């Protein structure tokens, strides 16, 4: 199974930018896609953005127009460019890879990368 690893988190002031990366390792014969989630302090995990199998991008309403998701050509790394950051974007950001394999969905979360936005 594939294992995602996130990087690029840090501390930034409101209005600043960060770029997160999610790199998958391992071997698979299955198709897969990757999605960003986040867990704000004291809250449940929420969807942020994704690139679907057909290449379409999807975003949560709270990040539309500020965050952009992209992939490298090999689709082994997904990026999340975060601009105009707000204090409410403070969260642990996770990448989830879903493998579509022989009729099954196999989902794996990474360990996460912390993003802190100060006002």
């Amino acid at each position: 199974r594939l294992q995602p690893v996130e990087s690029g988190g840090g501390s930034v002031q409101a209005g600043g930018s960060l770029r997160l990366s999610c790199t998958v390792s391992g071997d698979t014969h299955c198709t897969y896609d990757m999605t960003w989630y986040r867990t704000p302090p004291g809250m449940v995990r929420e969807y942020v953005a994704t690139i679907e199998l057909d290449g379409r991008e999807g975003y949560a309403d709270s990040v539309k127009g500020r965050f952009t998701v992209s992939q490298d050509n090999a689709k082994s790394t997904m990026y999340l460019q975060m601009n105009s950051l707000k204090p409410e974007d403070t969260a642990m950001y996770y990448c989830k890879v879903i493998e579509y394999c022989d009729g099954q969905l196999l989902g794996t979360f990474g360990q996460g990368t912390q993003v802190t936005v100060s006002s």
Side-chain angles (χ1 to χ4, degrees):
R1 290 179 61 173
L2 298 176
Q3 179 63 47
V5 178
E6 306 92 338
S7 62
S11 296
V12 64
Q13 289 191 325
S17 299
L18 283 173
R19 189 193 196 203
L20 305 184
S21 298
C22 172
T23 300
V24 292
S25 61
D27 296 318
T28 185
H29 64 280
C30 310
T31 57
Y32 62 92
D33 60 22
M34 293 186 282
T35 300
W36 286 103
Y37 291 84
R38 66 186 182 187
T39 305
M43 300 177 68
V44 298
R45 188 174 293 175
E46 61 186 24
Y47 163 79
V48 176
T50 191
I51 297 180
E52 298 180 10
L53 290 176
D54 61 4
R56 288 181 299 171
E57 299 172 13
Y59 299 93
D61 288 343
S62 58
V63 307
K64 278 182 183 176
R66 301 187 297 122
F67 290 11
T68 303
V69 65
S70 62
Q71 276 183 323
D72 67 353
N73 289 336
K75 296 186 179 180
S76 61
T77 300
M78 179 175 64
Y79 304 97
L80 185 67
Q81 178 66 44
M82 306 186 294
N83 298 329
S84 302
L85 283 162
K86 305 175 181 180
E88 52 263 43
D89 294 317
T90 294
M92 183 71 80
Y93 283 72
Y94 297 91
C95 175
K96 181 179 183 181
V97 60
I98 297 179
E99 297 171 72
Y100 301 83
C101 211
D102 301 325
Q104 298 184 54
L105 300 180
L106 306 174
T108 306
F109 279 100
Q111 294 299 306
T113 186
Q114 177 68 39
V115 171
T116 302
V117 185
S118 58
S119 57

